[in-house]
Amino acid sequence: MVSSTDRSTRAGRRRAARPTLRRAVLSAVSFVLLLAGFSGGLVAWAYQKYDGQIRRIGALQTKDPNIQQAAKQLHAENYLIIGSDSRSGANATFGHVAGERSDTTILVHLSHDHRRVSVVSIPRDAWVDLPTCTSSNGRAVAEHHEMFNSAFTVGGPRCTIATVQKLTGIAVTHFVKIDFVGFQSVVNALGTVTVCSPKAVYDPQSKLRLHPGTNHLNGQQALDYVRARETLGDGSDLGRIKRQQQFLGIVLRQAMNGALMTNPLRLRDFLDAATKAITVDTGTTFGDLRGLATSMHGLDPKHVVFYTAPIANRDYSPPGTSVSGKVLLDAAAGRVLYRSIINDTAPTRSKSTGPSSATAAPQPTLSAADKTCSL
């Protein structure tokens, strides 16, 4: 059981995670940009330099009993990408807020033949079962139900990874965390990212302005674009996930065209800034990231598909609590999606309970090839 003191501490942490500037970066976008740079040719000294600049922590949970069909997943390539809204160091320019939070968590699965990529966004407000985790001060926090986002606050990346594995059964084999400054740096390395808005937009909080049609965003503008919520789209976090996925598709198309590779100076600056901005697990090397980048570089954007963890209720009030507006995930549909990733196949209709009550296969929200003009 969790004590009232523990509950109060977590509640305080959640309140602290709600300042105006709380929204985390779209970390997967930064990750894709990193992959674009890592696929360039590097001499040995440069490899050692960039590998040495990457921060590493022990985060993986390889012996987790919640991993399903563990033997089958021994050689899987599943990257958990976490955005950080830390305000330490260079990130202090975004405001002085204690601690570190994660508002964007994305699971990236590369198929065994390296011809398909599945990207699954997990809503920050999903009400999930958090496993027993160890806090930063070494205290064990018992298993309990809470917002998915709180896993990072409770126990950092290790707790988030354990929560994802408990939720999905998927083995997380690599972990990458990227901060605000890293996001800006990698977007600026592309020059600009081109997005389409169906209407004029002004966000008074960030001062971001969009005009109808094509907009070319630099790093700061792109950060404002993916963090905004109230003034873009329907104002919900789920709407923000959809916009982030669209943005990621745009970045993928730009990153895959190889323009960055033809400019040695830009590539050098890109890799220098990017490797200083990421934190990975102790088992992930610069060579691993470069190898993944090489695999993805010639990938058909149509084969990069985006999902959101299946949802049963978008406005959920957990029983026995006073909270509301949470997200209840669809366990049956989720099993279909997560099983497909474990088996390295496309999701198919579940046949376990007969045709009258079978669970339909979750459908992608879009692919990286889709071009849209929406918020």
Side-chain angles (χ1 to χ4, degrees):
M1 296 295 292
V2 181
S3 70
S4 58
T5 300
D6 290 341
R7 293 192 185 95
S8 298
T9 300
R10 289 197 305 273
R13 285 169 175 161
R14 288 196 298 271
R15 285 192 294 271
R18 296 173 183 170
T20 302
L21 293 176
R22 71 179 182 177
R23 299 301 173 188
V25 301
L26 177 56
S27 53
V29 174
S30 303
F31 181 59
V32 170
L33 293 170
L34 285 166
L35 295 182
F38 287 149
S39 62
L42 296 171
V43 295
W45 71 266
Y47 180 98
Q48 294 175 358
K49 171 187 175 182
Y50 297 134
D51 186 69
Q53 290 180 167
I54 299 174
R55 292 185 296 273
R56 293 179 171 85
I57 61 173
L60 300 186
Q61 307 286 314
T62 57
K63 303 298 183 182
D64 187 350
N66 289 306
I67 295 174
Q68 298 177 14
Q69 302 181 64
K72 178 179 286 189
Q73 298 194 65
L74 282 176
H75 303 292
E77 294 185 76
N78 301 317
Y79 284 76
L80 190 69
I81 318 302
I82 298 178
S84 164
D85 70 351
S86 169
R87 310 305 167 83
S88 63
N91 292 283
T93 57
F94 295 96
H96 299 284
V97 181
E100 185 176 15
R101 288 144 297 276
S102 167
D103 279 350
T104 299
T105 303
I106 299 180
L107 184 66
V108 180
H109 169 72
L110 181 66
S111 69
H112 181 70
D113 60 10
H114 289 192
R115 294 182 179 179
R116 293 176 290 106
V117 175
S118 300
V119 182
V120 182
S121 298
I122 303 175
R124 63 181 298 277
D125 290 337
W127 195 255
V128 299
D129 186 8
L130 268 62
T132 299
C133 292
T134 302
S135 67
S136 59
N137 62 9
R139 179 177 56 86
V141 180
E143 180 176 345
H144 63 283
H145 288 88
E146 199 166 347
M147 277 197 324
F148 173 79
N149 184 55
S150 67
F152 194 89
T153 305
V154 168
R158 288 180 62 86
C159 190
T160 298
I161 289 172
T163 302
V164 170
Q165 291 180 166
K166 184 174 181 62
L167 174 67
T168 67
I170 297 170
V172 174
T173 59
H174 299 279
F175 156 75
V176 180
K177 183 184 75 172
I178 306 177
D179 60 21
F180 287 141
V181 172
F183 179 92
Q184 291 182 329
S185 298
V186 293
V187 171
N188 282 333
L190 281 183
T192 60
V193 174
T194 303
V195 303
C196 182
S197 176
K199 61 181 182 179
V201 171
Y202 174 66
D203 180 30
Q205 177 179 306
S206 65
K207 312 304 181 185
L208 174 68
R209 291 185 183 274
L210 301 176
H211 56 76
T214 300
N215 295 263
H216 304 287
L217 308 183
N218 61 25
Q220 177 62 61
Q221 293 166 331
L223 179 61
D224 294 336
Y225 179 79
V226 299
R227 291 169 64 204
R229 187 188 67 169
E230 286 82 0
T231 56
L232 274 71
D234 64 5
S236 71
D237 279 313
L238 295 177
R240 189 177 65 133
I241 285 176
K242 181 179 179 181
R243 185 174 70 257
Q244 290 174 344
Q245 291 177 341
Q246 292 171 346
F247 186 84
L248 179 53
I250 295 168
V251 171
L252 273 164
R253 293 195 298 273
Q254 285 191 222
M256 287 177 177
N257 68 19
L260 186 63
M261 304 309 123
T262 62
N263 188 327
L265 293 178
R266 176 175 287 182
L267 178 60
R268 179 201 64 189
D269 293 342
F270 172 88
L271 290 174
D272 189 56
T275 52
K276 291 176 180 176
I278 65 172
T279 299
V280 303
D281 60 273
T282 53
T284 297
T285 67
F286 187 85
D288 291 328
L289 297 174
R290 186 183 176 197
L292 179 58
T294 301
S295 300
M296 291 186 66
H297 189 60
L299 198 64
D300 186 337
K302 292 186 297 185
H303 296 156
V304 180
V305 294
F306 298 87
Y307 298 90
T308 298
I311 295 170
N313 186 346
R314 294 168 174 259
D315 189 14
Y316 179 60
S317 297
T321 73
S322 59
V323 300
S324 61
K326 304 309 171 188
V327 173
L328 177 65
L329 298 179
D330 187 325
R335 281 194 297 271
V336 174
L337 175 59
Y338 309 140
R339 190 181 301 121
S340 74
I341 291 177
I342 293 171
N343 293 325
D344 206 24
T345 61
T348 57
R349 185 180 180 89
S350 172
K351 301 177 182 179
S352 60
T353 55
S356 61
S357 58
T359 302
Q363 297 300 307
T365 53
L366 76 158
S367 79
D370 296 333
K371 298 180 180 181
T372 62
C373 191
S374 67
L375 298 172

